[in-house]
Amino acid sequence: MALFFLVMGVFTAAAVNETGNNSSVNNTSSPRGGVVQPLSLWSSITVEPSTISLGTVPPDGTERSYPDAVTVTVSYIIAFGDTLSVRASGNLVNTANSSLTIPLSNFKFSTPSLSKRSFTTSNQVIMTYSGFRGAQSVPLSLYITVPPYTDPGTYSTTLIYTST
């Protein structure tokens, strides 16, 4: 089970002329896929909100935090040590000019049981779950740092959640 989440944030870059800078992320759901299948009989992932705006962020190199900005819930039937993971599609890319990016290492997350870490393009386990039937949720806090001199615009990436 994989769920895609597009992170949408609006970043206002305080460039010389104080022009605006935007960024975004989106969540969408897709059926279970990939090489590794969950051990559970059935699983489903939901993410709230499905799209998130991180607001106006100046390009000053200061990290901004968004506590418990996203809640990811996995529902399952017969799970034995299954995992919920997250990865990003890549750098945050300017939607008007794909040559302009914010490095993915500047976009981070944490959970109540995981310390802050950068998103990567590889799966990172955010929760393990087991049981006959149930649903478990995990809140993600998000963090973004817009580097100095980042060109204004809307930047986006997709977060992908996978149950295995």
Side-chain angles (χ1 to χ4, degrees):
M1 174 60 153
L3 181 77
F4 299 93
F5 176 74
L6 176 63
V7 175
M8 306 272 304
V10 178
F11 301 111
T12 299
V16 176
N17 60 1
E18 294 290 318
T19 56
N21 207 349
N22 302 318
S23 188
S24 57
V25 181
N26 186 23
N27 291 319
T28 51
S29 178
S30 70
R32 191 181 341 187
V35 178
V36 179
Q37 294 296 322
L39 297 174
S40 60
L41 179 64
W42 172 86
S43 66
S44 173
I45 301 170
T46 57
V47 179
E48 292 295 329
S50 60
T51 300
I52 187 167
S53 172
L54 300 180
T56 300
V57 180
D60 58 5
T62 301
E63 183 176 86
R64 302 307 197 281
S65 64
Y66 304 84
D68 299 336
V70 178
T71 300
V72 185
T73 302
V74 61
S75 302
Y76 56 88
I77 297 175
I78 307 176
F80 300 102
D82 290 9
T83 61
L84 177 64
S85 301
V86 65
R87 72 180 186 271
S89 59
N91 292 331
L92 288 93
V93 178
N94 186 306
T95 57
N97 181 348
S98 62
S99 69
L100 301 174
T101 63
I102 295 173
L104 187 55
S105 60
N106 288 24
F107 188 39
K108 301 176 182 179
F109 72 95
S110 67
T111 71
S113 61
L114 295 174
S115 60
K116 183 173 31 175
R117 60 193 62 190
S118 294
F119 282 100
T120 66
T121 56
S122 299
N123 280 339
Q124 297 184 70
V125 174
I126 58 174
M127 181 176 68
T128 301
Y129 58 96
S130 296
F132 179 70
R133 179 183 179 131
Q136 291 185 5
S137 297
V138 61
L140 267 71
S141 295
L142 302 176
Y143 309 86
I144 188 73
T145 303
V146 179
Y149 310 108
T150 298
D151 287 340
T154 299
Y155 292 79
S156 67
T157 192
T158 300
L159 300 181
I160 303 150
Y161 296 89
T162 306
S163 169
T164 56

